[in-house]
Amino acid sequence: MSRQSIFITGAAAGIGQAAARLFAAKGWFVGLYDVDEAGVQTLSRELGEDFTCAGKLDVTDPDAWEHALAEFAARAGRLDVLLNNAGILASGPLESIPLARQHLLIDVNIKGVLNGCYLALPYLQRTPRSRVINLCSASALYGQPSLAVYSATKFAVRGLTEALDLEWSEYGIRVMDVLPLFVATDMVTNMNANSFRKMGAKLTAQDVADTIFKAARYDSKIPKVHWTVGFQTRAFYSLSGAAPDLITRFINSRITGSH
């Protein structure tokens, strides 16, 4: 039996790189894909080119996805986990962020995940008990001011995850998402949001990678779709399901300094 394999987008840095290191250390074959081709090639050499493959991938480009998945499948022989990790962020008042940048958030964070799910399905169907893990965010629990479009994209990822987990259960494919709060990576550098200024980034990329690995190995008959990372996110997640919208809105307004 060939070793288990994972295809990771946004693998050159941050959470994607931490996940790549962890899965490689656990003996998985790891596909490293990113718009930063030099970064993933360097990581591939470090982790071992016999147990990794690496290449450039713009997740907004379906043709690039098809090429990357075919290349990966030829090397790995199977696709156990698709990790849709690639994402971008823009922060600040909605009107202060160029509209083109807002559209790019949608293209990368939503269409990139859709492209991956759609085009990876035939490979996932050929691998028993395969799964998709989508990087989501605690901002998908209640819309966040100064992160409005980013937050909206993560709501979309959450909805897509829930729908596909039900839809693809007939194929034996599980679809999950991981919801961290702010993570200490380059993505939050110079973030312009009151919630970040008040709460800071208490999670590390390794914290998120550890949760991703647990999701990849989860084997209970009881479905677990949403995976929170850290105490703060678990608390917000529990609150979002239990508290009325007015209370949730009030708590978020206090955290973000909005009214």
Side-chain angles (χ1 to χ4, degrees):
M1 181 178 176
S2 59
R3 65 174 60 207
Q4 289 181 291
S5 69
I6 181 170
F7 184 109
I8 303 175
T9 67
I15 293 168
Q17 185 183 111
R21 293 183 184 280
L22 177 57
F23 278 85
K26 298 293 186 180
W28 287 52
F29 186 91
V30 183
L32 309 166
Y33 291 89
D34 201 297
V35 289
D36 178 7
E37 184 174 14
V40 289
Q41 293 292 355
T42 297
L43 183 59
S44 178
R45 289 190 293 271
E46 179 186 337
L47 297 179
E49 293 179 283
D50 290 339
F51 309 112
T52 62
C53 65
K56 183 175 183 178
L57 174 61
D58 175 354
V59 296
T60 69
D61 182 350
D63 291 338
W65 265 105
E66 290 187 327
H67 174 78
L69 286 164
E71 173 188 68
F72 173 83
R75 290 287 311 280
R78 56 189 289 162
L79 175 57
D80 292 271
V81 177
L82 168 65
L83 176 58
N84 281 312
N85 167 72
I88 60 173
L89 181 147
S91 61
L94 181 76
E95 67 275 12
S96 72
I97 303 168
L99 189 58
R101 179 68 177 177
Q102 310 276 21
H103 285 185
L104 186 60
L105 261 70
I106 293 169
D107 288 342
V108 173
N109 296 359
I110 301 177
K111 293 181 181 178
V113 173
L114 172 60
N115 289 340
C117 292
Y118 187 94
L119 295 169
L121 179 58
Y123 300 96
L124 294 163
Q125 287 177 304
R126 294 199 289 268
T127 307
R129 301 163 77 177
S130 60
R131 59 199 60 192
V132 177
I133 302 175
N134 296 322
L135 246 294
C136 197
S137 167
S139 68
L141 302 179
Y142 197 90
Q144 294 299 299
S146 299
L147 295 168
V149 174
Y150 175 80
S151 184
T153 66
K154 294 305 181 179
F155 269 90
V157 169
R158 180 178 175 179
L160 182 67
T161 299
E162 292 172 349
L164 290 184
D165 183 60
L166 293 169
E167 188 172 326
W168 289 358
S169 61
E170 66 175 294
Y171 305 133
I173 300 169
R174 288 183 167 177
V175 185
M176 309 167 170
D177 58 29
V178 174
L179 298 94
L181 234 164
F182 300 115
V183 183
T185 67
D186 290 342
M187 182 177 280
V188 301
T189 301
N190 300 320
M191 181 183 285
N192 180 18
N194 285 337
S195 53
F196 177 72
R197 284 189 285 270
K198 289 187 176 183
M199 303 182 71
K202 295 182 171 61
L203 296 174
T204 67
Q206 188 61 51
D207 292 329
V208 184
D210 289 341
T211 300
I212 292 168
F213 189 73
K214 289 177 185 176
R217 297 295 306 276
Y218 183 73
D219 199 31
S220 172
K221 292 182 180 179
I222 302 172
K224 183 174 172 61
V225 179
H226 304 300
W227 294 72
T228 58
V229 187
F231 172 77
Q232 287 179 317
T233 315
R234 285 194 294 274
F236 284 131
Y237 181 77
S238 298
L239 176 67
S240 69
D245 285 348
L246 188 61
I247 294 176
T248 305
R249 183 186 186 281
F250 173 75
I251 292 171
N252 275 270
S253 71
R254 299 295 293 178
I255 291 171
T256 61
S258 304
H259 301 285

